[in-house]
Amino acid sequence: MEQRRALIAGNWKMNGVSADGLSLAEGLAACARRASDLPSDAAAEIPPDIAMALPCDVLVCPPFTLIDRVAKAVAGTRIAVGGQDCHAKVSGAHTGDISAEMLKDIGCGYVIVGHSERRADHGETDAVVKAKAEAGLRAGLVAIICVGETEAERDAGQTEAVVARQVSGSFAAGGTPETVVIAYEPVWAIGTGRTASPEEAQAVHARIRAELVGLIGADAAGKMRILYGGSVKPSNAAELLRQPDIDGALVGGASLKVEDFWGIVRATE
Ligand code: PEP
């Protein structure tokens, strides 16, 4: 079986002003330093091979306004920082938008694209999401491409067809296991407390991987990480993460509390 290093990614959504955002970031940084057996002093010298000291890759995606300060708060730990969205273009007359290059410039390593809330609130189509994912790659970011069916689509038995269509329509040209992560997030499970059962989620993840085989070949598809998202918490994370095609989690609500988010990180151990 392929060895894929798990990724636990926190999506803070539109939550946090300076005080609570920074205290969350500092709390996570403290957990990462403890887990890596690092000095609590943020300025201390970090040995270059400490990356594997955390049980998985860890990412936080704060609102744009906090990215710069959160990046500074977690500097020197292995916690990566990402944006929740980006525009497809490098720059220009796009009031209110942020480019992938701007995210890179302030310390981001990742960008989430095509979250269902953006697809629903901003009418983002697969073509728009694909262009954003490609912008992420252009800027040197890892693009986390989100897909997931609505409850009505699930009830109509269309889950796998919908998700496969979203994956092929949103996938970044030239995407590799190093530059793209897929996140399967059933819309009905986001922020609702309802979660797909591990078996249900595994079946969709396996279908996504089969779709990836057609897009990038079996070898690359076997190495690409597919995250599950939708009401993941410390109490259900381990069981989900045990499934063979679930390679981590995209976490909303539970990423806003240090102990909950770190509990999910530890569930990958
Ligand atoms: C999300 O929005 O990406 C998400 C998974 O949210 P929650 O964990 O709150 O369901």
Side-chain angles (χ1 to χ4, degrees):
M1 206 195 7
E2 294 286 345
Q3 278 299 329
R4 295 178 291 266
R5 183 162 163 83
L7 168 64
I8 303 297
N11 172 15
W12 294 6
K13 310 195 188 191
M14 196 174 71
N15 292 297
V17 290
S18 311
D20 37 12
L22 290 183
S23 106
L24 177 53
E26 277 155 14
L28 294 173
C31 290
R33 285 194 195 93
R34 270 198 301 277
S36 307
D37 214 10
L38 291 174
S40 56
D41 174 5
E45 196 67 19
I46 310 286
D49 61 348
I50 206 79
M52 302 311 280
L54 292 182
C56 61
D57 291 344
V58 180
L59 166 68
V60 291
C61 299
F64 291 136
T65 50
L66 287 176
I67 288 176
D68 191 34
R69 280 172 292 170
V70 168
K72 290 187 176 106
V74 301
T77 74
R78 304 310 306 189
I79 300 176
V81 180
Q84 298 174 16
D85 178 47
C86 67
H87 194 278
K89 299 259 173 65
V90 179
S91 61
H94 302 287
T95 303
D97 279 315
I98 304 278
S99 72
E101 283 74 9
M102 291 169 174
L103 295 175
K104 179 78 177 176
D105 182 51
I106 52 167
C108 288
Y110 291 76
V111 62
I112 299 171
V113 294
H115 190 282
S116 62
E117 287 154 13
R118 298 229 33 115
R119 289 179 186 260
D121 296 353
H122 300 271
E124 292 188 4
T125 61
D126 287 337
V128 168
V129 175
K130 174 181 166 71
K132 291 183 174 204
E134 288 169 355
L137 269 53
R138 181 190 65 217
L141 302 174
V142 176
I144 302 181
I145 302 172
C146 302
V147 297
E149 82 288 1
T150 63
E151 184 153 37
E153 288 164 339
R154 186 172 198 89
D155 290 347
Q158 295 169 347
T159 297
E160 293 192 10
V162 166
V163 166
R165 193 187 64 226
Q166 289 176 330
V167 169
S168 59
S170 311
F171 196 81
T176 67
E178 289 74 40
T179 58
V180 167
V181 173
I182 306 291
Y184 167 55
E185 302 202 297
V187 177
W188 51 269
I190 294 181
T192 58
R194 294 167 60 198
T195 319
S197 71
E199 296 73 25
E200 285 171 327
Q202 165 57 27
V204 183
H205 281 233
R207 178 66 186 86
I208 291 172
R209 204 172 299 286
E211 192 66 22
L212 291 172
V213 170
L215 290 171
I216 54 174
D219 185 53
K223 294 185 176 133
M224 188 161 281
R225 293 183 287 190
I226 306 174
L227 313 184
Y228 173 78
S231 300
V232 176
K233 37 190 188 275
S235 58
N236 61 17
E239 210 189 347
L240 286 159
L241 292 165
R242 256 197 303 276
Q243 302 303 310
D245 286 292
I246 300 186
D247 309 313
L250 181 53
V251 185
S255 72
L256 297 174
K257 282 202 185 133
V258 173
E259 56 280 18
D260 287 352
F261 189 63
W262 210 259
I264 297 169
V265 169
R266 297 208 52 190
T268 65
E269 276 169 0

